[in-house]
Amino acid sequence: MLEVKDLVVAYGRVQAVKGISFSVEEGQIVSLLGTNGAGKTTTLRTISGLIKPVSGEVWLDGERLDGTPAHAIVTRGIAHSPEGRKLFPRMSVEDNLLLGAFTRRDHAGIKQDLDRVYALFPVLGERRQQPSGLFSGGEQQMLAMGRAMMSRPRLLMLDEPSMGLSPIMTQTIMRTIAELRASGTTVLLVEQNAQAALTLSDKGYVLEVGRIMFTDTGEALLRDDRVRRTYLGLDL
Amino acid sequence: MNDTGSLVTLAPDSSGPAPTGERWIRFAKPARWIAIAGAVGVLAAPFMAWAYRPDALDDVSFWGEPSPLQWFAFALGLLLLGCLVAPFVIKPRPGRRPRRLLAFNRGAKAAASGSLVYFAVASAAIVLELGGLVALEPGAWAGLAGALVATVATRALPEGHDPRLQFLNTPAWGQILGIVGAVALVLFAAAYGLGQDGASTFVTFGVLCGVGVYVAARVGVMGWLSAAAARNRRALVLAAFAVAFLFPMTQDGSDANMSIAVGVLIFAATAMGLNIVVGLAGLLDLGYIAFLGAGAFTAAILSRSAFATLGWSPPFPVVVLISGTVAAILGLIIGSPTLRVSGDYLAIVTLAFGEIFRITMNNLDGVDGPNLTRGSNGIPAIPDLELFGFDFGESHMILGVQIGRFANYYWLMLLVLALIILVFTNLNHSRIGRGWVAIREDERAAEAMGVNVFGLKLLAFAGGAFLAGIAGAVKAHVDVSVTPDQYIFMESAFLVAGIVLGGMGTVGGVLIGASILKLLPEKLRFFEDYRLLMFGVLLVVMMRFRPEGLMPDERRQLEFHADDDELAEEIGENIEAHVIPSLAGAPEPDLKGDDA
Ligand SMILES: Nc1ncnc2c1ncn2[C@@H]1O[C@H](COP(=O)(O)OP(=O)(O)OP(=O)(O)O)[C@@H](O)[C@H]1O
Ligand SMILES: [Mg+2]
């Protein structure tokens, strides 16, 4: 469904992404792995229209996506939970979630999805009227995830969704991602927790300094020596 | 950096001085009696002469016959005495944990300081006007001394707990009664204040009202009122509009005050339109008055005035729509190139636009350009409106009261204002309003949520312009003539000042802020020369002590009031005490300086 071709992205004269190509099939979970500064966040930001690429193409369901303004890309069915959350700290939890659903107008469906998020993360439901800035880092991460779900995206892009979460919450997030896929959402995942991410993933791409070094299925990557050494920290 | 910072913050926590009141607690009893003596002094002062000659403060030179200005001092004295004596009469309810609903000591402190300020300012005015301390008669001295004694003595009274009246379970009819009573009091005060011809009496009445509100807030009445108002929004709105509607009835057909009132309404309606742009979408527009001007010029050109340059005059409802549309189109023209840049640039561009508008109107005089506005002469002799057979220029008898020309326009403007408020509140609570708040908070994050940032900004800009255009169309007929120099930058600045003063993004606050800013210079001619200075000082003081405005936005108060309803019930059932102080103390974080 998503197709990225020869994407080059630069900040000023520094190229952060140096011509990468990859694809995400409908109903899959695909992971982008890479060391710090490899260009994962840059890639996601480019897909969601927040940065304009220098060259290359992004296609969604056979339609060209690059060059479309960011707000219109949300309407196309892509939601992006950005790195560092980017919540609206002075707005309440509920307002944050409703902003996630900004492009939708089906009130009944929005209400239903609100309840779903509150059921998933009870702490959000209990404090729905409080400003999100008062929440702990992990709680804010849950809100960011919930907010991204609120637009009922066909493609959900998550940038380090487990950042700052306790192991038990990380499990909840991973389970949620699996459930989302089961209900038909495609997921493009960036994670430092390679073990958890690859266990879920159908496919993984490994980036290094702006280039894709290799790719394989999630299982195969979990067994790959290079991955085990660099990302799982195993002594071989 | 960090290390020293933490050291410094640690120190005051461990050994903070006790609050002033509590340290002198053993003097509380005698202090109360001394303060009562002071209050008696304040009460006696109005019955003595304050000044030697009659030409200061609208004549306060009589013995035994208080002038209005002196009666105000008497009222302050009553307020002070009431707060001091009340604890003898109203004992806290006995029980495991006594509940104090009202904080009379705080009220006494506020009333005493208020009286002192009142007498100090009055005495200073007399001394300055009549030349020297010799001009002061015993009354002024008695009042000053009484207020001073009371102020010092009330310092020794304990602060007491935060008042808990706002958590009192009140039946719905009681709440509504309270709201209606308060709103009626506002009507009475407004009618009375506007009826005062003497500038000093008007100012001192304003001071009395201010002190009264402040004392009520300290005692705890205001907390109850705002809680009631929050729970009965509809009753509040209805009462407010009923009162505003009835206001012309109190004026006996006199046009003097009604013309001021219409001016206030036009200003308030324009401010409310600008409030959408500044308060909701967060776009600083410093040339907003141009949209009011665009509406006014359009209506003037399309009017039946002999000086109208087009010779086409459609009925007024059509004119209103055209005026709004012209203003909105101007908004689009100025907005589309500038709204992509953010912040300071927009302020500069709109400021320039306001000037360009005025100069253009000056130049469309047939010499430098097509003759549309007759240049600096403008378009005079705009006839009065006639809508559905109702002639706005004539006086009418309604319910036995004479309703003059300005009162007619007052009612029309009230409708326009109601419309603008309706648009404002609906937008504020809609999806679009949420989008605007998101833009205000973080433009890029909003874009990532699917908010069309540019489109929504443009909508705010053009929508605000449209509403100003409508107000301008009415203004043209009220003013009879439209000239370019009515639409100078200063007016835009005052609009923004009114919004900031009242509380950005609110309805009540902006209405109050706009009314204050428009009313003061109208009523106080001598003030005219200093009004810029005064407003500058006022805004600086506001930014220091209450940056969120007189009546802050509820979204900004969310933090404090999240569980108000539940808590109020809990407290009614006498549940744990420790929850209460934090909640009740939270909404007034900036007031503690007043007792120092
Ligand atoms: N706004 C920016 N301006 C300039 N350079 C940037 C900017 N953002 C990122 N970069 C650079 O681009 C490169 C890729 O950054 P990116 O944030 O995409 O990495 P990442 O793979 O997400 O890393 P991490 O795992 O640490 O989040 C880095 O070298 C980074 O320094
Ligand atoms: Mg990153």
Side-chain angles (χ1 to χ4, degrees):
Chain A
M1 102 192 282
L2 182 79
E3 179 93 42
V4 173
K5 290 182 192 160
D6 303 322
L7 193 68
V8 178
V9 191
Y11 296 102
R13 279 151 86 212
V14 188
Q15 285 195 355
V17 171
K18 302 167 183 167
I20 61 171
S21 303
F22 65 94
S23 64
V24 180
E25 302 307 324
E26 183 108 41
Q28 282 189 339
I29 297 179
V30 173
S31 283
L32 293 184
L33 298 182
T35 44
N36 293 124
K40 308 177 294 287
T41 299
T42 306
T43 307
L44 293 198
R45 288 171 60 80
T46 311
I47 295 172
S48 64
L50 293 169
I51 316 175
K52 302 268 167 282
V54 175
S55 64
E57 296 166 9
V58 181
W59 294 77
L60 182 74
D61 294 330
E63 282 179 56
R64 189 82 181 258
L65 210 58
D66 51 293
T68 316
H71 65 87
I73 287 181
V74 181
T75 336
R76 298 275 197 90
I78 297 186
H80 180 184
S81 169
E83 182 174 30
R85 306 185 288 267
K86 298 287 187 312
L87 297 173
F88 300 95
R90 284 193 295 189
M91 297 175 81
S92 67
V93 167
E94 187 138 325
D95 275 344
N96 267 282
L97 290 175
L98 289 174
L99 268 170
F102 190 82
T103 51
R104 294 169 57 186
R105 283 150 203 272
D106 55 323
H107 293 284
I110 292 176
K111 181 85 195 38
Q112 212 178 327
D113 285 3
L114 266 185
D115 291 340
R116 184 168 69 135
V117 172
Y118 290 149
L120 209 55
F121 309 113
V123 60
L124 299 183
E126 285 155 20
R127 299 167 63 182
R128 61 183 76 180
Q129 291 305 334
Q130 287 187 21
S132 61
L134 300 181
F135 281 64
S136 80
E139 289 162 342
Q140 293 190 18
Q141 192 63 57
M142 297 175 208
L143 180 54
M145 171 100 186
R147 189 180 64 175
M149 287 161 55
M150 284 299 293
S151 67
R152 275 212 193 157
R154 288 184 299 130
L155 174 65
L156 179 60
M157 300 195 296
L158 301 170
D159 200 339
E160 308 202 10
S162 76
M163 189 175 16
L165 290 184
S166 64
I168 193 97
M169 253 354 268
T170 305
Q171 271 183 27
T172 311
I173 294 274
M174 292 305 160
R175 210 171 42 237
T176 313
I177 294 173
E179 276 170 24
L180 283 171
R181 181 208 8 214
S183 67
T185 312
T186 312
V187 180
L188 179 55
L189 182 62
V190 168
E191 254 299 342
Q192 290 297 348
N193 186 341
Q195 173 81 47
L198 288 176
T199 313
L200 277 180
S201 298
D202 300 293
K203 205 169 26 165
Y205 292 89
V206 178
L207 269 73
E208 243 157 72
V209 282
R211 290 210 171 78
I212 290 181
M213 302 313 284
F214 50 94
T215 173
D216 212 324
T217 63
E219 283 165 50
L221 285 178
L222 270 178
R223 278 183 267 107
D224 189 294
D225 279 351
R226 292 165 295 184
V227 173
R228 282 159 71 90
R229 208 177 304 121
T230 323
Y231 300 105
L232 302 177
L234 296 179
D235 237 352
L236 297 169
Chain B
M1 270 309 278
N2 276 340
D3 286 350
T4 50
S6 65
L7 275 178
V8 172
T9 46
L10 270 178
D13 271 354
S14 44
S15 65
T20 17
E22 323 305 325
R23 217 188 320 165
W24 304 101
I25 196 119
R26 59 202 158 114
F27 302 119
K29 248 207 186 104
R32 185 178 299 279
W33 287 106
I34 295 172
I36 288 178
V40 171
V42 173
L43 283 172
F47 297 96
M48 299 182 248
W50 289 11
Y52 183 61
R53 277 187 289 137
D55 32 3
L57 297 185
D58 307 333
D59 195 353
V60 286
S61 61
F62 283 103
W63 284 82
E65 270 178 62
S67 74
L69 192 149
Q70 288 169 307
W71 278 122
F72 302 156
F74 189 76
L76 282 177
L78 276 186
L79 210 55
L80 173 57
L81 188 66
C83 285
L84 287 168
V85 174
F88 295 124
V89 187
I90 306 171
K91 293 258 189 292
R93 257 193 255 177
R96 188 168 51 87
R97 200 162 50 77
R99 292 165 55 194
R100 290 177 197 275
L101 294 176
L102 295 168
F104 286 115
N105 284 352
R106 296 182 183 193
K109 287 172 202 234
S113 328
S115 314
L116 185 59
V117 170
Y118 190 91
F119 274 100
V121 172
S123 306
I126 294 172
V127 167
L128 287 180
E129 267 186 74
L130 300 185
L133 282 173
V134 282
L136 289 182
E137 287 279 293
W141 291 114
L144 265 179
L148 188 63
V149 166
T151 307
V152 174
T154 48
R155 286 312 91 157
L157 296 177
E159 273 271 298
H161 289 288
D162 291 317
R164 290 177 196 155
L165 187 68
Q166 70 203 84
F167 301 119
L168 183 72
N169 283 321
T170 321
W173 61 264
Q175 297 182 9
I176 291 177
L177 208 66
I179 292 172
V180 171
V183 172
L185 207 62
V186 171
L187 170 70
F188 174 77
Y192 181 82
L194 278 175
Q196 298 306 314
D197 293 327
S200 333
T201 317
F202 178 77
V203 173
T204 46
F205 182 70
V207 173
L208 171 68
C209 292
V211 174
V213 169
Y214 182 48
V215 171
R218 295 296 284 165
V219 168
V221 177
M222 288 315 250
W224 181 86
L225 256 186
S226 52
R231 238 163 285 161
N232 302 280
R233 281 250 163 253
R234 191 162 301 158
L236 176 69
V237 170
L238 278 181
F241 262 96
V243 158
F245 185 78
L246 287 179
F247 177 69
M249 302 282 188
T250 64
Q251 294 298 312
D252 275 341
S254 144
D255 265 353
N257 287 330
M258 287 321 295
S259 75
I260 295 178
V262 175
V264 169
L265 278 191
I266 292 174
F267 190 75
T270 317
M272 195 57 74
L274 178 58
N275 198 16
I276 295 179
V277 184
V278 178
L280 294 188
L283 306 169
L284 183 51
D285 183 347
L286 289 180
Y288 191 71
I289 202 72
F291 299 127
L292 185 75
F297 267 107
T298 309
I301 290 168
L302 296 179
S303 77
R304 241 170 270 137
S305 162
F307 300 92
T309 45
L310 270 191
W312 178 54
S313 47
F316 187 67
V318 178
V319 172
V320 165
L321 286 182
I322 297 178
S323 302
T325 310
V326 167
I329 290 173
L330 269 185
L332 288 179
I333 292 174
I334 184 70
S336 8
T338 50
L339 288 174
R340 290 195 191 275
V341 298
S342 53
D344 311 340
Y345 295 105
L346 185 68
I348 294 167
V349 171
T350 51
L351 193 155
F353 163 70
E355 285 305 285
I356 291 170
F357 171 80
R358 188 175 57 80
I359 294 166
T360 308
M361 292 302 111
N362 256 323
N363 285 327
L364 292 177
D365 57 358
V367 179
D368 302 310
N371 187 11
L372 212 56
T373 64
R374 302 182 70 251
S376 56
N377 296 323
I379 296 174
I382 300 166
D384 276 307
L385 282 177
E386 221 185 301
L387 270 181
F388 312 114
F390 185 88
D391 185 349
F392 280 75
E394 302 255 300
S395 285
H396 302 263
M397 287 297 276
I398 295 177
L399 297 176
V401 187
Q402 185 91 358
I403 297 299
R405 172 177 184 270
F406 283 106
N408 295 333
Y409 282 112
Y410 173 90
W411 277 334
L412 182 64
M413 265 324 290
L414 203 58
L415 272 183
V416 174
L417 179 62
L419 169 88
I420 295 180
I421 291 177
L422 206 68
V423 172
F424 180 91
T425 45
N426 276 327
L427 282 175
N428 193 11
H429 294 119
S430 70
R431 182 174 149 275
I432 291 177
R434 199 176 306 118
W436 279 334
V437 179
I439 293 175
R440 218 168 59 197
E441 294 260 308
D442 185 341
E443 225 167 88
R444 298 194 57 112
E447 179 85 19
M449 293 294 100
V451 178
N452 183 347
V453 171
F454 177 66
L456 273 194
K457 280 183 176 181
L458 205 56
L459 177 70
F461 214 68
F466 185 84
L467 295 175
I470 290 180
V474 180
K475 182 175 157 64
H477 289 270
V478 176
D479 288 353
V480 180
S481 79
V482 177
T483 56
D485 58 0
Q486 291 164 329
Y487 303 98
I488 51 176
F489 165 68
M490 219 35 82
E491 296 292 327
S492 295
F494 281 133
L495 285 171
V496 175
I499 291 174
V500 173
L501 177 68
M504 278 195 220
T506 65
V507 174
V510 168
L511 287 182
I512 290 175
S515 307
I516 292 177
L517 282 200
K518 188 70 184 174
L519 201 56
L520 283 188
E522 287 284 351
K523 212 47 200 175
L524 309 176
R525 284 294 156 204
F526 69 88
F527 191 71
E528 192 84 64
D529 297 339
Y530 302 101
R531 82 175 176 152
L532 280 177
L533 180 66
M534 295 295 235
F535 290 157
V537 171
L538 191 65
L539 284 180
V540 170
V541 170
M542 285 286 299
M543 285 302 109
R544 169 63 186 81
F545 291 103
R546 211 172 160 85
E548 71 275 34
L550 292 174
M551 298 182 80
D553 178 20
E554 57 188 44
R555 272 199 177 104
R556 266 161 229 172
Q557 287 201 312
L558 204 64
E559 196 177 329
F560 305 123
H561 289 297
D563 320 301
D564 234 15
D565 285 8
E566 288 154 43
L567 258 156
E569 275 161 33
E570 270 178 36
I571 288 153
E573 291 157 21
N574 257 340
I575 298 185
E576 287 309 311
H578 65 268
V579 200
I580 304 158
S582 66
L583 226 191
E588 303 182 359
D590 295 327
L591 288 179
K592 56 178 185 298
D594 298 299
D595 296 308

